[in-house]
Amino acid sequence: MLRNRDLIKRLKIPALGILVLAVVLSIVFGLTRPTVVFDPPGLIVVLNLLLVGLPAVLVTFLFSRAFLATGVWPVLWLGAAALSFGLASVIGAGFLLFGQVNAAVFTHNTLLFISGILNIAAAFHVLNNNDSLASAVARKGSLSQVYVSLLIVTGGIIAFGIIEILPPFFVQGAGGTPLRQVIVAFSAVSFLVSGLVMFRGYFRSRSDMYYWYALALLLAAGGALDIFLQTGTGTALNWLGRLEQCFSGIFLLIAALVAFQNTRTTRVSAEAALAALFSPRQEANLELLFDNIDDAIVSTDVKFHITGWNRGAEVIYGWKAAEVIGKDIFALLHTSYLDNSPVAFMQQKIISAGSLTSEVIHQRRDGKNVYILSRTNTLKEPLKNTVLGLVFVFHDVTESRHSRLALQISEAKANALIRFAPTAICEVDYKQRSFISINDAMCDMLGYSKDELREMSFFELQDEQSHELLVDRLHRQAAGKVNEDTAEYSVKKKDGSVIYAALKFMVNHPAGRPDTALIVAHDITERRKTEQALQIERDRLISVLDAMQDGVSIMDQDYNVVYINPSLRAIYGGVENRKCYNYFNGFSVSCSWCNNARVLSGAVLRRETTIAQTGRTYEITDAPLKNSDGTISKLALFHDITERKKIDELKDDFIGMVSHELKTPLTVVLGALNAATSNNIPPQEVKELLDDAAWGAETMSDVVDNLLEFSRWQANRLMLSTQPLDVASVINRVIRQFGRKQSSREMVADISSDLPVVNADLVRIERVLENLIGNAIKYSPEGAQVRITARTGPECLVIGVHDRGIGIAAVDQSKLFQRFQRLETTMEASLQGVGLGLVVCRRLVEAHGGRIWVESEPGKGSSFYFTLPLPGE
């Protein structure tokens, strides 16, 4: 709430400047049409929610209460218009957040149109001075009908926006459709007319509320105009329109705050003050209300001659209005200022400042002095800004001043006992909630002087939660109940910082009623900060544990599971205050292998276990965890090592397989060479032995070559040396090589005569063919035919290797291209290889941009195909 009326006046000209700047920018952007786009939807939602939505809700609430209290029609329509304006901005921004531009434009523009209609209705009532609605029941009914209808219409508009049942309202880059432009144009005109009517009310009444509401409506009109001119969301014109609507929301909020400020100044309800601006009858009622206020309200001309004297003034000073009209107010009341300022100086200060608050001493008709809190405001001529007169509001503070003096005496007595206490101590009036006495330690703790604290309520130092907590404890003690818990309260220091205190208090009950409360405060801020730091660290640890893929659990010394992370909860379910031996193993007593004693004494232990629920193997690390209270818990970390163990087993199998597959041909090579170099061996047998040695060497070479290719792929070092390649010649060359070595199989080439040249790595393509043909030979019976085909497909060259062998079951086909996989057949004992051939084929084919697959049925042979991209594909 704005507390300084001068601040509002100082902001009026800059606010008008914002309106003028918006008009100038609208003209500039309308002529230049800048195309830069900046459209973060999150920022739009925040701006519209905070700067338009929330102010609109506050204005709607205030105007609704004003209508219920007075029945003045304009405030009903203005409240509904403000709500529609806020809904337009917030709902439209919400649609933008989800990328629904047309829905955002439709809902925003339609609700803006409704807001314009409601503002026109308000302006019509303002211009015609319609009578108010007298019946309270009728007011509630009218209010309900208007707002329920508005909400229903809003719901329908949202639904239409979502399902897009209506034609498009907006085309990005082109702007609005004709229907949308008509609606936006009418909205702009409606806001403009309504704003001008409000300015007319301002020039008639000089009410700041009229001024700010008029600026808000004119800015809304400018925003609607820019929206009319825009061709895309996020453009300069679009942002100018949005900012104008945001400033419109801010000015609506200031208008509402002005109404609340008037409430504090005149001691009239905000509803009555607001309604009086729109109804002459309400204005007359307001004058009647002023006449019945307890404070003295006196009006004078510029020479301080009395022109108005309400009944509150008659009660305080003893003179009737007829007796004082025309007299000098300062002379009549023998005015003297408590700060000893000269009267003439203060008179000049009032005229120049326009508003002044001071403490004075006045003399009543009976000669007694009264202490007065005086608030003075000047009345100015609207157009010439000249002072026409002054209004004085005098509040009698004599009793409170006497009470304050009495409190000071009481404080002096109390301070004699407690002022030197190192603990903060104060005495509080139970009813007034004000300080009675404060010791030096309390002032040191809070940073206030004693005089500053005496002007405050003890509860002003607390936030809402601490305030409610303290009131509850005071009521409990006043009722004779015991406060068993040790509560902590947040307390605001003078510098704005917050400290935490433990409060002990005792309520005095003279005559059986609570009178004062003695409060002892201990500053526990440092202790609380330490606890909070520990809690933050613990929360951070829990956050880390929650995010871990490994399972984590914490057990206390009594076997209670106090924490499990989501990964472990997914396996075992919720804890529900169970013991660890029951939760993990379903036992009713602790496990025989439990290591809690050793872990809680400081040991870190590791063990492996297989969890039945998942069938996976985990390495469990048990470690001690020190708690903030000094106790020790056990932290258990469940790390899934199933894949690691499989990899270890796979490595062992691989090493054994490679050793075996290399050992067999190496034995053949060594044996053949040793035999061939022996004496007395016929030449024919020497040749056969050397052929056997060559076969073994080639077998080992194939194994090593596949291992090297696979190793290059795993290390990301597989580099292709591509060149134009005649696939037919490559296939024939590989067939000839196998023909020299495998005369027991018939190899047939079925190659299309029009095969195109492809870009490929000759060595790698030969490797693929050798692996595939070698497999076909291995798994084919003696004398069977192995056929190699090559055809041109739509986008690639398709090469196939077909055998008449044992075939492959469907369940085994998915394993063929995985590392170290071989078919389990009756022929396996006689076959060589480490299960890498097809894996290498797959990696080499995919490196060329092709793919490889198998088609097979058990007993009918197998066909392996791979593709090579055609040039330009």
Side-chain angles (χ1 to χ4, degrees), residues 428 432-436 446 448-461 492-494:
V428 178
Q432 300 297 326
R433 311 298 194 193
S434 58
F435 287 98
I436 299 174
L446 300 178
Y448 289 97
S449 68
K450 294 180 181 179
D451 288 336
E452 288 174 327
L453 289 173
R454 291 191 192 97
E455 296 295 331
M456 302 170 61
S457 165
F458 181 76
F459 295 96
E460 291 181 37
L461 303 172
K492 292 178 289 186
K493 297 180 64 176
K494 183 178 180 178

Side-chain angles (χ1 to χ4, degrees), residues 299-319:
S299 61
T300 72
D301 59 18
V302 292
K303 295 183 179 181
F304 303 102
H305 293 153
I306 297 172
T307 59
W309 185 270
N310 76 334
R311 291 184 182 177
E314 293 179 355
V315 173
I316 293 175
Y317 298 108
W319 284 287

Side-chain angles (χ1 to χ4, degrees), residues 538 541-548 550-555 559-580 583-584 634-636 638:
R538 187 174 183 86
L541 173 62
I542 294 300
S543 298
V544 172
L545 297 180
D546 283 345
M548 289 180 60
D550 289 345
V552 181
S553 68
I554 300 176
M555 284 77 72
Y559 304 99
N560 297 306
V561 182
V562 297
Y563 169 80
I564 58 167
N565 73 337
S567 297
L568 206 56
R569 189 181 298 110
I571 300 175
Y572 289 100
V575 177
E576 300 172 354
N577 300 320
R578 294 163 65 184
K579 302 289 186 180
C580 60
Y583 178 67
F584 290 111
K634 183 174 82 170
L635 173 69
F638 290 67

Side-chain angles (χ1 to χ4, degrees), residues 432-675:
Q432 300 297 326
R433 311 298 194 193
S434 58
F435 287 98
I436 299 174
S437 61
I438 312 110
N439 74 339
D440 294 339
M442 177 69 77
C443 295
D444 293 340
M445 185 176 76
L446 300 178
Y448 289 97
S449 68
K450 294 180 181 179
D451 288 336
E452 288 174 327
L453 289 173
R454 291 191 192 97
E455 296 295 331
M456 302 170 61
S457 165
F458 181 76
F459 295 96
E460 291 181 37
L461 303 172
Q462 299 176 307
D463 59 21
E464 182 178 354
Q465 182 178 2
S466 295
H467 174 271
E468 294 177 354
L469 182 63
L470 181 57
V471 169
D472 176 68
R473 296 305 186 274
L474 286 172
H475 287 170
R476 286 175 59 87
Q477 188 159 125
K481 298 179 181 178
V482 178
N483 294 314
E484 297 179 354
D485 60 328
T486 302
E488 297 178 359
Y489 305 83
S490 63
V491 181
K492 292 178 289 186
K493 297 180 64 176
K494 183 178 180 178
D495 61 7
S497 61
V498 176
I499 62 173
Y500 295 92
L503 303 182
K504 302 291 184 179
F505 42 82
M506 179 183 67
V507 179
N508 297 321
H509 299 78
R513 294 182 179 180
D515 180 45
T516 60
L518 184 66
I519 300 178
V520 179
H522 298 274
D523 188 348
I524 59 170
T525 305
E526 293 303 321
R527 188 192 77 187
R528 183 179 176 90
K529 286 181 179 179
T530 302
E531 293 174 350
Q532 288 178 339
L534 291 174
Q535 185 62 41
I536 290 173
E537 290 301 321
R538 187 174 183 86
D539 292 344
R540 186 178 300 164
L541 173 62
I542 294 300
S543 298
V544 172
L545 297 180
D546 283 345
M548 289 180 60
Q549 295 297 319
D550 289 345
V552 181
S553 68
I554 300 176
M555 284 77 72
D556 63 15
Q557 297 175 344
D558 298 322
Y559 304 99
N560 297 306
V561 182
V562 297
Y563 169 80
I564 58 167
N565 73 337
S567 297
L568 206 56
R569 189 181 298 110
I571 300 175
Y572 289 100
V575 177
E576 300 172 354
N577 300 320
R578 294 163 65 184
K579 302 289 186 180
C580 60
Y581 48 78
N582 178 260
Y583 178 67
F584 290 111
N585 301 303
F587 297 162
S588 57
V589 295
S590 61
C591 306
S592 58
W593 61 83
C594 181
N595 60 12
N596 273 18
R598 295 177 61 193
V599 172
L600 295 179
S601 63
V604 177
L605 305 176
R606 289 179 176 84
R607 52 196 171 92
E608 291 185 9
T609 186
T610 299
I611 296 178
Q613 288 87 335
T614 63
R616 303 182 70 82
T617 302
Y618 295 82
E619 180 184 66
I620 302 177
T621 302
D622 295 324
L625 177 66
K626 187 175 182 179
N627 301 313
S628 58
D629 59 359
T631 60
I632 303 294
S633 297
K634 183 174 82 170
L635 173 69
L637 178 65
F638 290 67
H639 180 58
D640 189 342
I641 59 172
T642 306
E643 298 303 325
R644 189 186 75 189
K645 293 184 74 66
K646 288 182 178 179
I647 292 173
D648 291 342
E649 293 174 359
L650 191 61
K651 288 180 179 178
D652 293 342
D653 293 343
F654 172 69
I655 292 172
M657 186 182 298
V658 170
S659 301
H660 172 74
E661 298 302 338
L662 291 177
K663 180 69 175 178
T664 300
L666 182 61
T667 301
V668 172
V669 170
L670 294 175
L673 292 176
N674 288 332

Side-chain angles (χ1 to χ4, degrees), residues 35-301:
T35 59
V36 177
V37 175
F38 174 69
D39 202 28
L43 176 61
I44 296 172
V45 172
V46 172
L47 287 177
N48 282 277
L49 180 62
L50 296 181
L51 301 184
V52 183
L54 293 181
V57 170
L58 178 59
V59 171
T60 301
F61 173 75
L62 178 61
F63 278 56
S64 299
R65 290 195 58 179
F67 178 74
L68 290 176
T70 64
V72 175
W73 286 105
V75 296
L76 172 63
W77 301 119
L78 288 175
L83 179 59
S84 180
F85 182 70
L87 290 173
S89 296
V90 174
I91 295 174
F95 275 117
L96 279 180
L97 185 62
F98 293 99
Q100 300 186 29
V101 177
N102 188 62
V105 173
F106 169 72
T107 54
H108 177 271
N109 295 166
T110 307
L111 288 171
L112 201 66
F113 172 76
I114 294 173
S115 180
I117 293 175
L118 294 171
N119 276 302
I120 285 293
F124 172 81
H125 282 284
V126 170
L127 292 174
N128 289 277
N129 292 326
N130 295 84
D131 291 335
S132 303
L133 193 59
S135 171
V137 175
R139 295 172 194 167
K140 291 182 180 180
S142 299
L143 184 73
S144 301
Q145 291 174 8
V146 169
Y147 282 103
V148 170
S149 299
L150 177 60
L151 293 177
I152 291 174
V153 171
T154 301
I157 290 171
I158 294 173
F160 285 158
I162 293 174
I163 63 178
E164 298 185 350
I165 194 172
L166 295 177
F169 258 50
F170 185 80
V171 178
Q172 187 76 7
T177 60
L179 174 60
R180 179 260 193 184
Q181 297 299 83
V182 170
I183 289 176
V184 175
F186 181 83
S187 301
V189 172
S190 301
F191 283 113
L192 177 62
V193 172
S194 304
L196 294 176
V197 171
M198 287 294 176
F199 257 120
R200 175 181 177 272
Y202 168 69
F203 287 117
R204 179 176 60 86
S205 66
R206 308 306 293 181
S207 167
D208 287 339
M209 200 288 294
Y210 260 127
Y211 181 88
W212 289 103
Y213 212 103
L215 283 185
L217 292 177
L218 292 179
L219 275 172
L225 175 61
D226 291 332
I227 292 172
F228 177 86
L229 296 174
Q230 72 172 352
T231 58
T233 59
T235 61
L237 265 176
N238 179 249
W239 267 105
L240 180 59
R242 289 172 180 170
L243 292 177
E244 286 176 305
Q245 291 187 0
C246 289
F247 274 107
S248 179
I250 294 172
F251 290 170
L252 284 178
L253 178 61
I254 295 177
L257 294 179
V258 168
F260 281 113
Q261 187 184 54
N262 291 337
T263 299
R264 296 181 63 223
T265 303
T266 62
R267 297 173 180 266
V268 178
S269 69
E271 295 84 357
L274 184 63
L277 295 172
F278 300 98
S279 172
R281 181 174 300 176
Q282 288 294 325
E283 188 172 0
N285 292 338
L286 188 61
E287 293 178 0
L288 179 62
L289 193 60
F290 281 145
D291 205 36
N292 287 277
I293 290 177
D294 291 337
D295 286 346
I297 301 178
V298 182
S299 61
T300 72
D301 59 18

Side-chain angles (χ1 to χ4, degrees), residues 17-31 240 244:
I18 291 175
L19 176 61
V20 174
L21 177 62
V23 173
V24 173
L25 290 178
S26 296
I27 296 173
V28 173
F29 291 161
L31 293 175
L240 180 59
E244 286 176 305

Side-chain angles (χ1 to χ4, degrees), residues 385-402:
N385 199 32
T386 57
V387 177
L388 299 177
L390 303 98
V391 174
F392 295 84
V393 179
F394 297 138
H395 179 58
D396 187 354
V397 295
T398 305
E399 290 187 6
S400 63
R401 182 177 177 83
H402 291 163

